[in-house]
Amino acid sequence: MGNSVPDWEYLPELCLLTILEKIDEPISRVQFSVVSKYWHSLFNTFLDIKRRSSTNLVPMLMIPSKKSATKRKIYSIQAKSKIAEIEFPKPYTWRYCGSCYGWLATVDESFNITLSNPFENLSIHLPQFDSMAYDSGHYTYKILKVVLSDDPLLHPNNFVVVVIYSVYGRLAFYRPCQENWIYMDVDEDQSLFLDILFHKGLVYAIGHYNNLVWFDVNGVEDDESSKSPKLNTLVPTILRLENHSFRVYLVKSSMGNLYSIHKHLDFEEVGERSVHWTKKFTVFKLILDDENSKLLEKKEVESIDGDIVFVGDNRTLAVSALDFPEGQPNSIYFTDDFIDRDTYEILGPRDIGIFHLKDGSLEKYYQFKSSHKDLSPYIWISPSKEYN
């Protein structure tokens, strides 16, 4: 009886698609596709499935309207044209302090935070935030950033809202099972947080001085007496100028890798005031131990797994170049999120553009209009899949 040798070329389709899903390196997937015509066909099928199932659709730019206080324009950077206008039930605020999964976050003078989805015409009113009268500045900047763990439409009872608030960059979070916010207990010199990332059930936060922490909200009780969860430090705050970043972001690539992205600014004098411009970005890959969430390595890189990253007041988002073929791989699309109301009054939030990691060059994706200088900053928003 002869030995039966499996015909590897014609393994079942599901088996080969599963193998493709397990392959992390893009070059290995390309090598897979050239084995045979059959495998090449399955490779294209795999790409179609990935595109259809992607939750990281290319965001659009939301632009204020000079003509109406309740309307905003949506600009597609793929089509390079305005594709729609959104009508809001109320006059829009000076600034949106978050944009996740199509939901926009606003705060009013009484520190009530509201999540609004203009594509579904829905709103979620969150509990009132504790007064921050000790903070100076406009009230819309006392809430620096609002980030959601999931889309409330898909997970109405199981999403988490994390807020970075006050000039000290403190942290608080809320879940639908809570009556009030839970405020993280952290020293002022250990906070100064700027961005949030949800990863494998944990919350990661990064700050001005590259300080990196994580905490777990899953074991926290629902009642008001709950103590805040323990804040675990991966990188401590070291108050040195060389550690300082004006803006820093955390992002998970389409390949599942974690990166920190640091914005570097230049300043120049305009009259008696200083205005800023983005000079460059630097990117670091963060390698974690999945067993104990320890940071194993942090290294500067010139690639974000080939992704295009969108940064600003929105949830930091990485989009695969497969889903955005019009974009340049390893590029960063940025809006003006450097908080300085005085500067805005002079020139407006006009520091927008694309930074290319490959050669360090900058270019524009949209020409800022001087008529918008007194209006709120532009922000990235991710419409639902059905919206076009």
Side-chain angles (χ1 to χ4, degrees):
M1 187 173 180
N3 292 330
S4 61
V5 179
D7 190 344
W8 293 101
E9 183 180 350
Y10 291 101
L11 285 173
E13 179 176 329
L14 182 59
C15 178
L16 289 173
L17 289 174
T18 302
I19 291 171
L20 266 173
E21 184 65 43
K22 298 292 184 182
I23 298 174
D24 288 337
E25 294 296 327
I27 187 65
S28 299
R29 286 179 174 171
V30 172
Q31 290 170 341
F32 176 103
S33 72
V34 299
V35 169
S36 69
K37 289 184 178 179
Y38 174 58
W39 283 30
H40 182 73
S41 173
L42 282 181
F43 178 68
N44 288 328
T45 300
F46 172 79
L47 293 183
D48 286 340
I49 292 171
K50 293 293 284 184
R51 289 189 188 104
R52 289 197 301 271
S53 62
S54 174
T55 56
N56 289 352
L57 298 179
V58 180
M60 298 181 182
L61 191 67
M62 193 168 75
I63 303 166
S65 171
K66 190 78 173 177
K67 298 178 181 178
S68 172
T70 59
K71 290 182 179 179
R72 289 217 169 184
K73 299 174 184 176
I74 298 293
Y75 177 85
S76 168
I77 57 172
Q78 290 177 288
K80 294 184 178 179
S81 66
K82 186 195 81 171
I83 64 165
E85 271 190 342
I86 298 178
E87 181 82 34
F88 287 84
K90 295 180 180 179
Y92 53 70
T93 180
W94 161 252
R95 169 183 174 264
Y96 287 101
C97 49
S99 174
C100 309
Y101 305 106
W103 294 84
L104 295 164
T106 58
V107 60
D108 63 19
E109 294 96 329
S110 300
F111 302 109
N112 296 301
I113 297 176
T114 300
L115 305 176
S116 302
N117 188 321
F119 309 106
E120 305 290 343
N121 197 25
L122 294 172
S123 293
I124 300 174
H125 299 283
L126 303 179
Q128 186 179 36
F129 216 77
D130 274 358
S131 173
M132 291 174 289
Y134 52 82
D135 275 3
S136 60
H138 197 269
Y139 68 89
T140 59
Y141 285 112
K142 294 182 181 181
I143 300 293
L144 177 65
K145 199 165 195 178
V146 177
V147 182
L148 306 178
S149 64
D150 297 284
D151 185 347
L153 276 176
L154 301 178
H155 306 276
N157 299 311
N158 195 29
F159 66 94
V160 183
V161 186
V162 176
V163 166
I164 303 174
Y165 70 98
S166 100
V167 294
Y168 300 106
R170 295 182 171 124
L171 300 171
F173 69 91
Y174 169 79
R175 299 169 299 171
C177 60
Q178 297 170 203
E179 289 188 14
N180 294 294
W181 294 90
I182 293 179
Y183 301 88
M184 297 297 296
D185 185 15
V186 58
D187 294 336
E188 288 177 5
D189 61 348
Q190 293 296 317
S191 54
L192 298 171
F193 293 110
L194 290 170
D195 202 15
I196 296 294
L197 175 71
F198 290 90
H199 176 62
K200 295 186 176 180
L202 301 176
V203 183
Y204 290 82
I206 195 166
H208 270 292
Y209 288 90
N210 298 328
N211 46 313
L212 182 63
V213 302
W214 67 268
F215 59 96
D216 186 358
V217 303
N218 297 304
V220 179
E221 298 295 329
D222 301 341
D223 60 78
E224 289 186 41
S225 62
S226 295
K227 292 183 178 179
S228 64
K230 178 185 175 184
L231 206 61
N232 303 276
T233 301
L234 296 176
V235 179
T237 301
I238 301 176
L239 299 174
R240 294 178 183 165
L241 186 60
E242 61 267 27
N243 292 335
H244 181 268
S245 296
F246 288 103
R247 281 292 172 268
V248 60
Y249 313 91
L250 283 175
V251 70
K252 184 191 303 185
S253 77
S254 61
M255 305 297 292
N257 296 314
L258 302 188
Y259 294 89
S260 64
I261 298 176
H262 304 252
K263 179 188 277 190
H264 303 266
L265 301 177
D266 266 345
F267 294 85
E268 60 181 278
E269 296 301 319
V270 175
E272 297 180 354
R273 291 172 176 167
S274 178
V275 299
H276 65 272
W277 300 94
T278 294
K279 178 182 178 182
K280 66 174 183 176
F281 287 85
T282 51
V283 177
F284 294 85
K285 186 172 185 178
L286 308 175
I287 301 174
L288 302 178
D289 184 339
D290 288 337
E291 294 294 322
N292 55 25
S293 297
K294 298 285 187 182
L295 181 65
L296 298 178
E297 186 179 4
K298 175 184 176 181
K299 59 181 180 180
E300 187 171 355
V301 295
E302 294 183 356
S303 169
I304 321 172
D305 293 336
D307 287 355
I308 297 99
V309 179
F310 296 83
V311 302
D313 289 319
N314 56 293
R315 174 180 73 102
T316 307
L317 181 66
V319 175
S320 168
L322 296 173
D323 294 320
F324 185 20
E326 300 85 356
Q328 288 292 320
N330 300 309
S331 59
I332 300 166
Y333 283 66
F334 59 95
T335 56
D336 196 342
D337 60 345
F338 185 64
I339 297 175
D340 187 344
R341 183 75 186 272
D342 289 340
T343 297
Y344 285 179
E345 289 172 356
I346 304 171
L347 300 175
R350 76 279 168 261
D351 183 27
I352 59 177
I354 311 168
F355 178 79
H356 300 286
L357 276 173
K358 183 177 180 180
D359 59 8
S361 63
L362 287 157
E363 66 172 302
K364 296 291 185 184
Y365 56 79
Y366 183 82
Q367 187 60 48
F368 177 77
K369 297 179 179 178
S370 59
S371 61
H372 291 169
K373 72 174 185 176
D374 298 321
L375 301 180
S376 56
Y378 300 173
I379 191 170
W380 299 112
I381 187 169
S382 300
S384 59
K385 293 183 180 182
E386 295 78 18
Y387 185 83
N388 55 53

